Amino acid sequence: RLLFTHNGANEDEHNKSSSEKLYLRSAKQNICVSCGSDGHHIRHYIVPYAYRSLLPDDYKSHMSHDIVILCPDCHVRCERSTKKRMKRMETDLRMKMVTTDGDDAFCSPVIEDAHLYHVRSCAIALVRWKDTIPEEKVEEYENEVRSYLADCCKTEAEKEMILAGNEPLTKVQLQKACSVKYRVKNPLSIQ
């Protein structure tokens, strides 16, 4: 038995409602609250831990109502439902995040850059099917790849040499264009 009163003893008593005091003092059975089995049990948190940190301070405090006892089978079922609900909530939130251009595509972590995708497609076509593609298309694709490679150059002399088109594209240059990462980080994504 303590010979002193701990800090906050009076605050705890005043902050709790009478129904919460009654719940805390009531006898609780050691059974699954879903199916009533009395075998092995797991503690289950009603509010997922990932969301607890986002709640206001009033809801972050330890509440016995948030913890329930479940058997492993019921726990798995409940977790599946929770994960589905969390995914649905995340999708809804991302759908509400509309870009400033009026685009209504939801904010995924990565987006596909259409220009880089086109450069990559042109380079792949040149590597695989250059012999079967019509000459005007080959020229168009080479110009697209040259434009991309020129943007990657550090000096003006290199840019001019690539854009001039006097020499055919090398395998290394085509491989560089084929390996373009066209999926880029979305600046509007919630991380």
Side-chain angles (χ1 to χ4, degrees):
R1 186 172 166 121
L2 295 176
L3 300 176
F4 60 89
T5 305
H6 66 84
N7 290 339
N10 292 336
E11 293 175 18
D12 287 344
E13 289 300 316
H14 292 296
N15 288 340
K16 292 180 183 172
S17 66
S18 60
S19 62
E20 189 174 352
K21 287 179 194 175
L22 180 64
Y23 174 78
L24 290 173
R25 290 185 184 144
S26 66
K28 295 163 196 69
Q29 297 176 347
N30 199 16
I31 60 172
C32 173
V33 296
S34 179
C35 69
S37 84
D38 59 355
H40 299 288
H41 297 108
I42 300 172
R43 277 186 289 177
H44 178 76
Y45 294 87
I46 304 292
V47 178
Y49 188 77
Y51 291 159
R52 184 174 287 284
S53 63
L54 303 174
L55 295 174
D57 288 336
D58 295 344
Y59 298 104
K60 284 186 195 179
S61 65
H62 175 71
M63 289 185 59
S64 299
H65 295 79
D66 183 41
I67 303 168
V68 294
I69 297 173
L70 294 175
C71 68
D73 294 335
C74 293
H75 181 72
V76 169
R77 269 198 315 269
C78 194
E79 279 298 311
R80 281 188 191 139
S81 300
T82 301
K83 295 291 182 196
K84 284 180 188 174
R85 173 90 170 124
M86 288 171 68
K87 192 70 171 169
R88 196 168 46 245
M89 288 171 64
E90 179 183 350
T91 303
D92 291 347
L93 178 64
R94 288 184 188 278
M95 292 296 267
K96 289 178 186 175
M97 299 293 294
V98 178
T99 61
T100 55
D101 300 335
D103 245 357
D104 59 352
F106 73 92
C107 296
S108 65
V110 293
I111 55 174
E112 291 185 4
D113 186 321
H115 173 67
L116 293 178
Y117 184 80
H118 182 64
V119 168
R120 181 177 175 267
S121 297
C122 291
I124 290 171
L126 289 171
V127 168
R128 292 186 181 166
W129 304 290
K130 185 176 181 178
D131 299 334
T132 60
I133 298 175
E135 191 60 38
E136 62 273 0
K137 278 291 187 187
V138 169
E139 189 176 321
E140 179 187 329
Y141 290 172
E142 284 182 345
N143 288 337
E144 195 70 41
V145 171
R146 285 180 194 282
S147 166
Y148 167 74
L149 293 171
D151 289 343
C152 295
C153 291
K154 295 179 183 174
T155 64
E156 286 297 319
E158 287 177 353
K159 284 183 183 182
E160 290 175 16
M161 190 174 83
I162 290 175
L163 288 174
N166 296 336
E167 296 180 20
L169 291 168
T170 64
K171 283 186 177 183
V172 173
Q173 289 172 326
L174 286 172
Q175 284 301 325
K176 181 176 181 178
C178 284
S179 63
V180 167
K181 298 210 182 306
Y182 61 92
R183 289 189 175 124
V184 294
K185 184 179 179 200
N186 187 353
L188 300 174
S189 175
I190 302 170
Q191 293 295 329

